[in-house]
């Protein structure tokens, strides 16, 4: 990893790490805003996931805030250091969804409150987009899907080339066999003629 990439990643991850530490150590500050999101998501998850897993879905907003904080700290550290870089960016993207939901004002909020919340909403939306792009970044190297497709095409070309070689070899073998058969037929005809002459000479 180049120095420029390390610095850029560290700058990007620093915000998430700082916010994650705050969420883990002081979840009560963010819990009231997160309540609007978690009160809707928690029942939905409990209905969707299997029954044995539904019991582990957190119901308290503070637990959700702490979980998002841990994801931000771990994801930020992974992304900044390059150890599990894309997985770390994916954790940041998932945590950004909660951050964006928390920053959204209520539908019935006054225009002044909505205007005051707009910069934070736009910031969280931008960070979410950046985290998604970071999760897709392959550092200029081909993706796994491209490499798999490329390998399949190369294998297909090699198989076709081998098939052509086999076809050419079979054609050449058939031609050699045909020549040998013709040669043997000629020899057989000559031998038959010679034998016929000898028989005629003997009879005469």
């Amino acid at each position: 990893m180049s120095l420029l990439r390390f610095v850029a990643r560290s700058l990007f991850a620093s915000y998430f790490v700082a916010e994650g530490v705050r969420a883990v150590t002081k979840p009560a500050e963010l819990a009231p805003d997160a309540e609007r999101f978690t009160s809707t998501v928690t029942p939905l998850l409990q209905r969707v996931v299997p029954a044995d897993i539904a019991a582990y879905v957190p119901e308290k907003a503070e637990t959700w805030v702490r979980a998002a904080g841990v994801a931000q700290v771990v994801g930020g550290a992974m992304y900044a250091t390059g150890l599990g870089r894309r997985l770390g960016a994916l954790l940041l993207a998932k945590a950004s969804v909660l951050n964006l939901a928390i920053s959204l004002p209520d539908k019935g909020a006054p225009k002044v409150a909505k205007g005051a919340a707009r910069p934070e909403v736009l910031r969280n939306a931008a960070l979410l987009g950046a985290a998604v792009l970071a999760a897709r970044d392959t550092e200029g190297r081909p993706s796994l899907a491209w490499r798999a497709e490329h390998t399949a095409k190369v294998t297909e070309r090699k198989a076709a080339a081998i098939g052509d070689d086999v076809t050419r070899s079979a054609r050449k073998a058939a031609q050699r066999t045909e020549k040998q058969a013709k040669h043997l037929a000629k020899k057989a005809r000559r031998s038959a003629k010679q034998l016929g002459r000898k028989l005629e000479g003997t009879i005469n």
Side-chain angles (χ1 to χ4, degrees):
M1 179 172 58
S2 66
L3 179 61
L4 179 61
R5 282 185 176 273
F6 175 74
V7 172
R9 288 177 184 171
S10 299
L11 290 174
F12 177 67
S14 62
Y15 171 82
F16 290 98
V17 173
E19 288 297 309
V21 171
R22 177 190 169 206
V24 172
T25 57
K26 300 177 181 179
E29 295 181 359
L30 301 174
D33 293 329
E35 183 69 32
R36 292 182 290 107
F37 176 76
T38 59
S39 61
T40 303
V41 172
T42 299
L44 179 62
L45 286 177
Q46 289 175 339
R47 288 195 301 268
V48 172
V49 300
D52 54 342
I53 300 177
Y56 295 97
V57 176
E59 296 183 357
K60 293 183 179 180
E62 289 188 7
T63 306
W64 280 95
V65 171
R66 281 198 179 96
V70 171
Q72 290 182 91
V73 173
V74 174
M78 293 173 67
Y79 186 72
T81 59
L83 301 175
R85 170 182 51 83
R86 297 180 69 182
L87 177 59
L90 183 61
L91 289 175
L92 297 181
K94 291 184 176 181
S96 296
V97 173
L98 180 59
N99 292 339
L100 179 60
I102 291 175
S103 62
L104 291 173
D106 292 328
K107 292 182 179 180
K111 291 185 178 180
V112 176
K114 290 182 179 180
R118 185 176 294 111
E120 186 177 1
V121 172
L122 293 176
R123 180 191 63 199
N124 288 326
L127 289 172
L128 173 59
V132 172
L133 286 176
R136 297 284 297 172
D137 179 31
T138 60
E139 293 186 330
R141 292 191 293 269
S143 64
L144 291 176
W146 184 91
R147 279 182 279 183
E149 183 180 358
H150 179 68
T151 302
K153 289 182 179 179
V154 171
T155 304
E156 184 179 353
R157 285 197 296 268
K158 288 183 178 179
I162 292 173
D164 292 340
D165 291 340
V166 171
T167 302
R168 284 194 295 269
S169 299
R171 190 182 300 115
K172 289 180 180 179
Q175 290 174 352
R176 286 195 299 269
T177 303
E178 184 179 359
K179 288 181 180 179
Q180 290 175 356
K182 289 180 179 179
H183 180 67
L184 291 174
K186 287 181 180 179
K187 289 181 67 176
R189 285 196 296 270
R190 284 197 298 268
S191 298
K193 288 180 180 180
Q194 291 175 358
L195 181 60
R197 292 193 194 98
K198 288 181 180 179
L199 290 174
E200 288 179 0
T202 303
I203 294 172
N204 294 331

